[in-house]
């Protein structure tokens, strides 16, 4: 599993697209806010963005359970294919006033922690520039 | 020639203005430039903002080198040209961008986007022209994109435009720094 993290509108998807183009990668499947149920193979790349919208859909659970459930689904998916998760960093602002927004932010943090420890490669993207936190560099130019 | 675009961002009160001012002053002395220009975009619409502006002004007045202040609230004047004797510090473009959004607020959506894009295009063109003419331009901005997407349409519009503008500046610039409470990380 690979992670690309960064603030909103920092060029995360563009960075992933560039690296995959550079590798001439075929069979790329991109999803936003959902974990696909279809089956994939190790020849495919599955990109999932807007994980916070996956979290919002399961708001009947508490933050740890949500994080665990989503993490398990992503891990299972990664076993059959090559998963890239695009994580929007939402944990650095002011604590939100609204209870549900706080819960979303907390659940997101829990999920990201699990994803970070599972992932072999983590890249932080800052306005298009990569910082390699874990694993190999991604060639993109 | 020392022509450059330098980009500095950071959270509020992260020390980005101080870092930018010191950097501008040291380049000014080191390269023996003649004009140290400060582009200010803040509008004193209330007491707090007035104090904030005065605080920045005092800091510059007490400095050993002489700053020339130019106000650019929204539209960049046509006659604003610089040469290789100038160092420009623009602090900060988030304020300038809010002024642009504020100025265009009353327009219909289509007209408003046209107007905003027009301003952004001029901003980009100016920045590149200044550099071509041998100017060192230091652009200061704010990090406002590391928190949950709000429910206000206006805030999200602002975040998107600012994020895309940051991506453009980082791509074009010669040096980019992110300030984290007085520590800086050079990304480029």
């Amino acid at each position: 599993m690979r992670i690309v993290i960064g603030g909103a509108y920092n060029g995360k998807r563009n960075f992933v697209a560039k690296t995959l183009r550079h590798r001439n990668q075929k069979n790329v499947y991109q999803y936003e806010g959902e974990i696909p149920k279809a089956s994939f193979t190790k020849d495919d790349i599955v990109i999932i963005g807007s994980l916070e919208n996956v979290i919002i859909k399961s708001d009947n659970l508490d933050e740890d359970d949500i994080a665990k459930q989503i993490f398990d689904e992503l891990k299972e998916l990664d076993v059959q294919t090559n998963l890239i998760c695009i994580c929007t960093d939402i944990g650095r602002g002011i604590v939100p006033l609204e209870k549900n927004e706080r819960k979303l932010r907390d659940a997101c943090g829990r999920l990201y922690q699990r994803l970070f420890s599972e992932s072999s490669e983590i890249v932080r993207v800052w306005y298009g520039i990569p910082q390699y936190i874990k694993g190999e560099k991604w060639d993109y130019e | 020639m020392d022509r450059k675009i330098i980009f500095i961002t950071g959270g509020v009160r992260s020390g980005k203005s101080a870092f930018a001012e010191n950097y501008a002053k040291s380049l000014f002395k080191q390269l023996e430039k003649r004009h140290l220009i400060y582009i200010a975009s803040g509008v004193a619409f209330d007491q707090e903002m007035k104090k904030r502006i005065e605080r920045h002004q005092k800091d510059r007045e007490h400095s050993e080198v002489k700053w020339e202040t130019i106000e650019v609230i929204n539209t960049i004047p046509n006659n604003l040209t610089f040469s290789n004797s100038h160092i420009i510090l623009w602090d900060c473009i988030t304020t300038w961008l809010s002024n642009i959004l504020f100025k265009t607020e009353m327009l219909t959506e289509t007209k408003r986007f046209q107007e905003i894009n027009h301003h952004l295009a001029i901003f980009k063109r100016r920045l590149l022209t200044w550099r071509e003419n041998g100017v060192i331009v230091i652009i200061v901005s704010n990090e406002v994109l590391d928190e949950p997407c709000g429910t206000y349409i206006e805030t999200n519009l602002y975040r998107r435009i600012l994020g895309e503008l940051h991506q453009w500046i980082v791509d074009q610039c010669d040096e980019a720094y992110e300030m984290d409470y007085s520590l800086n990380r050079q990304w480029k």
Side-chain angles (χ1 to χ4, degrees), chain A residues 96-107:
Chain A
L97 282 175
E98 229 262 305
K99 193 176 148 217
N100 283 333
E101 285 179 29
R102 283 202 300 275
K103 190 179 163 190
L104 167 66
R105 210 170 77 133
D106 293 342

Side-chain angles (χ1 to χ4, degrees), chain B residues 1-109:
Chain B
M1 207 177 357
D2 314 289
R3 53 178 83 173
K4 260 179 193 174
I5 294 172
I6 298 163
F7 182 59
I8 299 165
T9 69
V12 278
R13 293 283 186 269
S14 61
K16 56 190 188 307
S17 291
F19 174 72
E21 283 170 29
N22 288 331
Y23 197 10
K25 282 189 283 189
S26 72
L27 289 172
F28 175 75
K29 283 189 270 190
Q30 184 199 327
L31 303 170
E32 297 174 345
K33 300 279 180 181
R34 285 202 303 280
H35 302 282
L36 188 56
I37 308 289
Y38 187 91
I39 299 184
S41 295
V43 183
F45 49 79
D46 67 8
Q47 255 337 90
E48 192 274 336
M49 198 60 193
K50 208 173 149 199
K51 280 216 178 92
R52 190 179 284 258
I53 291 172
E54 280 167 3
R55 185 185 153 146
H56 278 283
Q57 282 169 346
K58 271 217 187 78
D59 285 349
R60 291 198 303 277
E61 273 164 28
H62 290 141
S63 120
E64 72 277 30
V65 287
K66 176 123 180 51
W67 290 89
E68 298 164 41
T69 303
I70 297 174
E71 271 195 11
V72 177
I73 303 302
N74 41 55
T75 306
I76 306 173
N78 278 328
N79 58 2
L80 206 55
T81 50
F82 301 104
S83 70
N84 62 3
S85 62
H86 290 91
I87 289 192
I88 303 170
L89 169 58
W90 194 336
D91 187 0
C92 63
I93 55 153
T94 42
T95 319
W96 173 77
L97 185 61
S98 333
N99 295 342
I100 297 288
L101 291 201
F102 182 68
K103 189 191 170 197
T104 56
E105 203 179 27
M106 294 318 213
L107 301 172
T108 60
E109 204 178 308

Side-chain angles (χ1 to χ4, degrees), chain A residues 26-38:
Chain A
K26 304 270 181 331
N27 311 327
V28 178
Y29 303 90
Q30 180 150 0
Y31 297 87
E32 295 294 330
E34 60 163 322
I35 301 174
K37 299 287 176 235

Side-chain angles (χ1 to χ4, degrees), chain A residues 7-11 89-94 105 124 126-127 129-131, chain B residues 9 143 145-148 159-160 163 166-167 170 176-178 185 187-188:
Chain A
Y9 308 112
N10 268 249
D89 194 353
I90 59 171
R92 294 213 211 171
I94 296 155
R105 210 170 77 133
R124 185 184 162 211
W126 184 81
Y127 305 117
I129 300 180
Q131 177 194 9
Chain B
T9 69
E143 287 288 354
L145 304 168
D146 294 335
E147 59 181 10
R159 282 156 48 93
R160 180 174 63 76
H166 282 180
Q167 286 185 49
V170 168
Y177 300 88
E178 182 189 17
R185 178 188 163 85
W187 284 88
K188 188 173 175 182

